Amino acid sequence: MIQSSTSIMKKERQMLIMKQINLHNRALSSDLSMLLNVSEDTIRRDLNELAEAGKLVKVHGGALSKSYQFSYSTVNAYASSAKQVIAQKAASLIKKDMFVVIGGGTTVSELIRHIPMDISATFFTVSLLTALQLCDHSHATVIFVGGTIAKTSQISAGGEVISRLADIHADLCILGANGISFNEGITESDMETVQVKRAMMKASKQTAILTISEKLDSVQRVRVCDLDEINYLVTELEPDSGELKAYKRDRLTIM
């Protein structure tokens, strides 16, 4: 549990800030302020210093993980070995001639690296980086569902995007999770991202959630869906792991 004392040392505080940003790909200054029990001014100074050191990307109201924004290389991605295991499992869900709605993030990026290069499938995505990475698959059809790019989540969002997703009838939706809890389900840090993810799920027959086990039992601000609304939960753990026992549901396959 994170220490809630204002006496927390600057170096330790910045390490905790980096852990939160790497774990969830992004963080709001207000959330970090509450978590570490320091002022938002202190958090802003920390974020500025970390940005100047090249450790994160400072944005309005918070910060992004560098690996999340600029490149689909996962060499320096947080928990990269766990994400490779997840990718190997999740790649088995994608079959020939499928229509797949797919999100963004470093775990999804690792998944794309494990999808056979010669697969013939159609991919719809709201992530520009995901679209560019999928273009390396010569037999895949890649459709970017474009709109205004949300600076915090790095995906296209808004009414036009949700409307376009409503016209899609896909076989599978693949999403990362910012937070996941057996009580609260899948959660996100902002409503804009939640609305897009809900539309992606609604556009698909089945939904797969990919997450490293470190995010289990974590809750963000806004709920995306209950666990009963997803079909696959993919982590790096063995399906019968004790950490996953509380997540078992009748219609949910744990991989």
Side-chain angles (χ1 to χ4, degrees), residues 24 178-181 184-185 187-188 215 217-222:
H24 298 293
N178 203 338
I180 177 169
S181 161
E184 297 296 330
T187 52
E188 262 294 343
K215 291 185 181 181
D217 305 332
S218 67
V219 180
Q220 296 293 303
R221 289 171 173 259
V222 192

Side-chain angles (χ1 to χ4, degrees), residues 142-197:
V142 184
I143 300 172
F144 175 59
V145 185
T148 302
I149 301 293
K151 292 182 179 179
T152 54
S153 61
Q154 301 293 297
I155 63 172
S156 54
E160 182 182 354
V161 172
I162 292 171
S163 178
R164 289 183 64 188
L165 287 168
D167 293 330
I168 298 169
H169 301 285
D171 300 293
L172 180 66
C173 173
I174 299 175
L175 296 171
N178 203 338
I180 177 169
S181 161
F182 57 87
N183 286 325
E184 297 296 330
I186 312 302
T187 52
E188 262 294 343
S189 57
D190 64 277
M191 181 56 77
E192 195 169 40
T193 302
V194 167
Q195 290 174 335
V196 173
K197 285 192 170 184

